[in-house]
Amino acid sequence: MSQSVLVLVGSARKTSINLKLARALVRLAPQGLQFDFAALHDLPLFNQDHEQDMPSEVLRVRRQIEAARGLLFVTPEHNRSIPSLLKNVIDWASRPYGRSLWSRKPAAIAGASVGAIGTAVAQAHLRSMLGYLDVPTLGQPEVCLRVTEGLISDEGEIENEGTRAFLQSFMAKYAEWVAGFERSRLAS
């Protein structure tokens, strides 16, 4: 049985290295996972005044989150934190208070940057938020890639064999993580 995973990329740029990374991860995933990418670029800024009558763009993404059995966050690092795009969707789907859509959906986090520490600080902030929202997050391995010229092609091909093997093992572990939560859900 195929498990539905929603991919949330924290960059709206067409040439985003994190979008390339997300495509690469999907390509390297084992069978048994099916992926859907959330479009976050058109979500209006979160406004509590609109909780009871949410905009159609927000409702679209909320339906995707509800349908997903797992979450894959692929984030750049902006000013040592997550980009506003991710914070915005996290806020929209955690509201109204007490009716968060995030709870108990197994997640993994990855990110790429040209900087020496990859996206380690952004990922730490994201893990903190997800912990508060009751989103169990895969702890290891961590994917904080430092991107160099030619590491990831525009089509999402990983050129370096060692990096490809590492990312493939990350996706295999994530697939096991999601399957374990699905078995628990079905057993209850």
Side-chain angles (χ1 to χ4, degrees):
M1 182 173 163
S2 201
Q3 301 301 317
S4 171
V5 173
L6 184 61
V7 182
L8 300 113
V9 179
S11 175
R13 282 187 329 122
K14 291 177 182 165
T15 60
S16 163
I17 57 177
N18 283 281
L19 179 57
K20 291 178 189 178
L21 174 59
R23 289 179 181 145
L25 292 171
V26 167
R27 291 175 81 123
L28 294 171
Q31 290 185 347
L33 295 178
Q34 76 179 43
F35 295 90
D36 187 19
F37 280 73
L40 306 179
H41 68 281
D42 61 348
L43 296 183
L45 289 177
F46 173 74
N47 182 336
Q48 195 171 359
D49 290 342
H50 299 291
E51 279 185 357
Q52 302 309 318
D53 188 22
M54 292 185 184
S56 61
E57 299 87 352
V58 172
L59 294 174
R60 179 197 70 230
V61 174
R62 287 177 61 87
R63 282 190 295 274
Q64 287 180 292
I65 295 166
E66 282 180 301
R69 292 287 182 223
L71 306 165
L72 177 59
F73 291 89
V74 185
T75 184
E77 185 166 297
H78 290 183
N79 300 313
R80 296 285 192 241
S81 191
I82 66 169
S84 56
L85 209 60
L86 282 182
K87 179 68 168 96
N88 194 40
V89 73
I90 288 169
D91 289 346
W92 274 117
S94 67
R95 305 295 298 188
Y97 181 79
R99 296 193 315 208
S100 173
L101 301 178
W102 300 112
S103 183
R104 305 302 303 150
K105 292 191 185 280
I109 303 171
S113 170
V114 296
I117 62 171
T119 59
V121 180
Q123 289 189 38
H125 285 188
L126 183 54
R127 283 180 194 283
S128 176
M129 283 184 264
L130 295 178
Y132 173 76
L133 294 169
D134 194 27
V135 177
T137 306
L138 183 66
Q140 293 292 326
E142 290 183 322
V143 177
C144 300
L145 286 185
R146 181 175 187 201
V147 175
T148 56
E149 183 67 35
L151 181 68
I152 307 172
S153 74
D154 290 341
E155 296 76 34
E157 288 290 334
I158 302 295
E159 304 298 330
N160 179 284
E161 192 174 312
T163 303
R164 187 179 329 105
F166 169 69
L167 294 176
Q168 199 164 25
S169 70
F170 168 77
M171 290 306 288
K173 185 142 186 201
Y174 177 62
E176 291 173 21
W177 179 253
V178 172
F181 277 86
E182 188 62 13
R183 283 190 299 275
S184 294
R185 187 185 71 78
L186 293 173
S188 28

